[in-house]
Amino acid sequence: MSRPHLAIAIASQSGATIVGLTGILDVATAPRLRDALLKCLADQPAAVIADLTLLELRKAYTLTVFTVVARRTAEWSGVPLILVARPDHGSRLDLHTKAIARFLPVYPDLVTAVASIRRPPTRRITRLRLAATPHSALAARRVVVAACEVWNCIELAEDAAAVVSELVANVVLHAGTDAVLRLEFRRGLLTVAVTDGSALQPAWSAAPPTGDEVRSGGFGLRIIESLSTTWGWAPTSDGGKIVWAVLRLSAGAQHGAGRAGPLG
């Protein structure tokens, strides 16, 4: 008996990543689709749109791969996962995408789905490209503090600056590649994310920091865990990775936060 086939085609349109799916979605092909979607979301496009028009569904529960991916990334990323499914598909897929629409946006065609990303929820985003040098940690801290001031979440500035120091130090010490810092503030949550070109998994450092590490960062992931609400990492589609941490603004400070204009 031949294995079920699922073709996954990746394209870009209007700043969004389009994931075209052709073939069968079942327990054998769902893990590969999950990994592909996670990598697309880690690349941080305007949106990730999964086109289900040519997809055949064997078991209804395999469609939950989309909600699993959305939940896994929702805690740190504001990139929406959007589905395209024709309402006249006349199949099991049509029936169950109506149910999944309670959790994810579902549009009848790609044109409508792409148009929807022009009406994003309120959030603030800024990015900074960093070289693999010790001075980049200082530049990243300055951008973090400035963003917290502009976005009226200054309460998070000190912890966020410490977190970004460790993330950038990890790139300089272990990845050795250029990196991109991405800050996002939405619904009282500040996400500090750094993308680099290395596939090496972030690792705890058991050794105590040296004098140089104290000055430039390098305490390892333990300080990130202690200062953030949650943190994690994911591979990107180009063979690198994104490491992220989320800091939560206190309930008392959330009133008025994020109302200023975007940084830069």
Side-chain angles (χ1 to χ4, degrees):
M1 183 177 179
S2 61
R3 292 175 58 86
H5 177 70
L6 177 64
I8 303 174
I10 309 296
S12 181
Q13 182 177 334
S14 301
T17 296
I18 312 299
V19 183
L21 304 173
T22 305
I24 297 170
L25 177 61
D26 65 3
V27 292
T29 58
R32 189 163 64 88
L33 173 57
R34 176 201 62 209
D35 292 346
L37 291 172
L38 288 171
K39 287 182 179 180
C40 289
L41 287 161
D43 289 340
Q44 298 291 284
V48 173
I49 303 174
D51 189 349
L52 281 56
T53 303
L54 300 178
L55 188 67
E56 179 183 343
L57 188 66
R58 287 281 176 88
K59 297 290 185 180
Y61 61 80
T62 56
L63 203 61
T64 60
V65 64
F66 297 104
T67 54
V68 168
V69 168
R71 283 199 305 268
R72 186 176 296 185
T73 56
E75 62 185 356
W76 66 272
S77 173
V79 177
L81 176 59
I82 299 170
L83 305 185
V84 171
R86 295 200 317 267
D88 59 346
H89 201 277
S91 68
R92 182 183 300 169
L93 179 61
D94 181 26
L95 175 64
H96 291 287
T97 50
K98 289 178 181 177
I100 211 170
R102 293 178 298 170
F103 309 101
L104 292 175
V106 180
Y107 292 96
D109 54 71
L110 189 57
V111 172
T112 308
V114 171
S116 74
I117 68 176
R118 299 169 189 164
R119 304 184 298 273
T122 301
R123 55 183 179 137
R124 300 289 183 262
I125 299 173
T126 191
R127 292 178 175 87
L128 176 67
R129 185 167 295 277
L130 299 166
T133 67
H135 301 292
S136 289
L138 176 59
R141 287 196 297 271
R142 287 174 173 169
V143 168
V144 165
V145 172
C148 289
E149 291 175 347
V150 172
W151 296 340
N152 294 325
C153 57
I154 194 64
E155 171 189 303
L156 299 177
E158 184 176 353
D159 287 351
V163 165
V164 80
S165 290
E166 301 310 318
L167 292 175
V168 174
N170 189 66
V171 173
V172 173
L173 295 172
H174 303 293
T177 71
D178 288 350
V180 175
L181 166 65
R182 181 180 185 275
L183 303 174
E184 178 177 335
F185 186 73
R186 62 190 178 100
R187 299 200 299 266
L189 299 174
L190 177 66
T191 299
V192 182
V194 174
T195 304
D196 63 54
S198 171
L200 291 175
Q201 179 176 343
W204 296 102
S205 176
T210 65
D212 289 339
E213 289 173 329
V214 169
R215 286 187 292 271
S216 63
F219 287 93
L221 300 176
R222 298 185 189 280
I223 192 170
I224 296 173
E225 183 179 57
S226 68
L227 294 176
S228 60
T229 301
T230 183
W231 77 276
W233 74 284
T236 55
S237 61
D238 60 0
K241 66 178 177 296
I242 182 169
V243 186
W244 49 266
V246 178
L247 293 84
R248 183 184 298 275
L249 197 64
S250 67
Q254 286 192 30
H255 181 70
R259 293 184 181 175
L263 185 69

